[in-house]
Amino acid sequence: MTKKFLFLAILVFLLFASSPLIIAIYNGELKDILIISGIIILVCVMSIYEYNRKKGN
């Protein structure tokens, strides 16, 4: 995985995941905000972890 592909993958995921997050923030649904934010953080951390693991090989 190249650095360009890593940032592109994170950017595309954030574009799709941000719309439900914005709607949840607008409606004030705390549970949905926490779940969506947790998923976004988890995906970003796993992507960076995989990038570092592949880079080390």
Side-chain angles (χ1 to χ4, degrees):
M1 178 184 292
T2 64
K3 189 179 282 191
K4 180 181 177 182
F5 182 71
L6 170 71
F7 289 120
L8 183 64
I10 290 175
L11 179 68
V12 168
F13 178 73
L14 287 177
L15 286 175
F16 285 108
S18 63
S19 59
L21 182 62
I22 292 170
I23 292 170
I25 291 171
Y26 181 74
N27 291 333
E29 299 170 0
L30 184 62
K31 184 178 178 183
D32 291 342
I33 294 169
L34 291 174
I35 291 171
I36 296 169
S37 299
I39 291 170
I40 291 172
I41 291 169
L42 181 67
V43 168
C44 291
V45 167
M46 290 303 295
S47 298
I48 293 170
Y49 172 75
E50 284 295 319
Y51 170 74
N52 286 335
R53 192 171 67 92
K54 298 280 184 185
K55 184 178 164 186
N57 288 339

